[in-house]
Amino acid sequence: MIVNILPWEYDHASSVGIRRFIANWDVLNAPHYDKSRMEDDRTAQVAAAMCELAVAKHTGQYWSGHVWHRSEHHLYKDIADVGHCIEVRRVRTRPAVAVRSSQIGKGLHLYAVRAIEPEFQSVELLGQLPYDAAWEVSQPSNFSESTRYVPLEELMEV
């Protein structure tokens, strides 16, 4: 399913993405990140914000567009991306979506989405699952026991 972003929504989500980029201007990437496979953080933050907004629009849930510095993450880590229980995961190139063990047992719901390049004016909703069910069908990652990947074919249609 494709969600089209209206101009005023685009403006708002872009602003949130840029504010997230600026809030973490001085933060280094985790050691396991492969820089050669990554896009620049400014683009990634804007795309992620578009994805969250699209899921909120589709589900009719509230999107706060929250922004904080990584050093404050512990204060807000229990706030869902959308509404009270929706976690949005952007998929860019991998045919799978990441899930983390720290989010099991919290009553969350996972949405996998793809921001359509180059301008992110539309977002493709790839699928969804209750978070705990997603963990059950996930496969190990090659860098962390706490992060696993759910193949997209395991997700239910939106």
Side-chain angles (χ1 to χ4, degrees), residues 28-41 43-44 70 90 92-93:
L28 298 175
N29 288 325
H32 62 267
Y33 282 22
D34 180 353
K35 188 80 170 159
S36 69
R37 294 178 42 215
M38 296 171 56
E39 66 189 346
D40 65 280
D41 196 43
T43 301
R70 184 174 286 166
R90 178 180 175 218
R92 195 167 69 90
T93 58

Side-chain angles (χ1 to χ4, degrees), residues 45-114:
Q45 293 291 353
V46 169
M50 292 295 172
C51 290
E52 291 174 11
L53 182 142
V55 170
K57 185 174 180 175
H58 172 74
T59 62
Q61 299 285 317
Y62 176 75
W63 179 57
S64 68
H66 48 261
V67 177
W68 58 74
H69 187 270
R70 184 174 286 166
S71 65
E72 298 174 322
H73 181 72
H74 67 284
L75 300 172
Y76 307 105
K77 65 181 173 138
D78 293 324
I79 296 176
D81 294 329
V82 173
H84 295 289
C85 65
I86 297 175
E87 283 298 307
V88 177
R89 293 284 190 271
R90 178 180 175 218
V91 174
R92 195 167 69 90
T93 58
R94 185 185 300 262
V97 61
V99 288
R100 294 178 179 82
S101 61
S102 62
Q103 295 182 302
I104 298 170
K106 295 185 176 186
L108 298 174
H109 204 88
L110 173 71
Y111 272 75
V113 298
R114 177 177 289 121

Side-chain angles (χ1 to χ4, degrees), residues 136-152:
E136 291 300 318
V137 298
S138 65
Q139 300 170 353
S141 70
N142 59 357
F143 62 87
S144 170
E145 290 183 21
S146 64
T147 300
R148 297 175 62 101
Y149 289 103
V150 178
L152 294 179

